Amino acid sequence: EDKVVQSPLSLVVHEGDTVTLNCSYEVTNFRSLLWYKQEKKAPTFLFMLTSSGIEKKSGRLSSILDKKELFSILNITATQTGDSAVYLCAVGPYNAGNMLTFGGGTRLMVKP
Amino acid sequence: GAGVSQSPSNKVTEKGKDVELRCDPISGHTALYWYRQSLGQGLEFLIYFQGNSAPDKSGLPSDRFSAERTGGSVSTLTIQRTQQEDSAVYLCASSLVGENSYEQYFGPGTRLTVT
């Protein structure tokens, strides 16, 4: 059975801090790993990673995948209160378009 | 262009009643997914449609749950004889399908409360 584990479960930081969120996985026929940000209801897409060692970056957010050790990290630098959300990691199998297996999420709270 | 839309946004129903939840995917997206998110939990896959292929129903929790997708676009998730444990946010997502891996785009969800 495919499995995705995120850590920590929750995190409280102050504005300006840097955070690292972790995602480890066990999945057959791995194809891609995705990060989403969920503030209220709809998760919004952040990154999709398919290759090891290639960092994806968007503003203050960046992510990298290690397919040998089966994990990914999501970094957020110079955190802002607007970064407060649940961050979800999901993995998808090789067959294009198939369902994603999600981790339980990391709840991040950024205090002013 | 419009994103994924879902209706209703909130639904309160009495235990034992049937409910229908609707999803309009992004135009041109041939893959459509339903997920469920219980309070404080991660997303749980329910069912997946791709084009005219038979849907992947492997995530449906019981035979009270069913879904259909008409004309390759709009989808309806039906829950019969609702139970209190069905209370959750039901999220729909859509994506392109092809040789590459494509991200899924989520709708705002329907919050279902069974009293």
Side-chain angles (χ1 to χ4, degrees), chain B residues 100-112:
Chain B
N100 298 321
S101 188
Y102 294 97
E103 61 269 26
Q104 296 178 20
Y105 292 90
F106 284 83
T110 294
R111 183 178 298 280
L112 175 66

Side-chain angles (χ1 to χ4, degrees), chain B residues 8-19:
Chain B
S9 56
N10 285 285
K11 176 73 177 179
V12 180
T13 190
E14 291 180 355
K15 178 181 171 181
K17 301 277 189 180
D18 298 352
V19 295

Side-chain angles (χ1 to χ4, degrees), chain A residues 22-109:
Chain A
N22 303 291
C23 175
S24 63
Y25 62 90
E26 297 173 22
V27 62
T28 53
N29 297 319
F30 172 88
R31 177 153 196 166
S32 58
L33 184 145
L34 293 84
W35 284 96
Y36 286 86
K37 177 182 181 182
Q38 187 175 28
E39 292 178 83
K40 290 185 179 177
K41 280 188 183 177
T44 54
F45 172 75
L46 295 176
F47 298 111
M48 182 166 66
L49 304 157
T50 57
S51 301
S52 267
I54 299 174
E55 185 184 54
K56 293 236 175 161
K57 197 169 172 65
S58 175
R60 296 176 294 102
L61 278 66
S62 64
S63 184
I64 197 161
L65 173 68
D66 185 328
K67 289 167 75 173
K68 182 179 177 185
E69 300 298 330
L70 308 183
F71 79 91
S72 172
I73 59 171
L74 175 68
N75 278 321
I76 309 175
T77 59
T79 51
Q80 302 172 357
T81 55
D83 295 327
S84 296
V86 174
Y87 289 84
L88 297 168
C89 171
V91 294
Y94 188 80
N95 297 327
N98 272 1
M99 59 85 173
L100 296 172
T101 299
F102 280 83
T106 293
R107 182 174 296 278
L108 173 66
M109 179 180 292

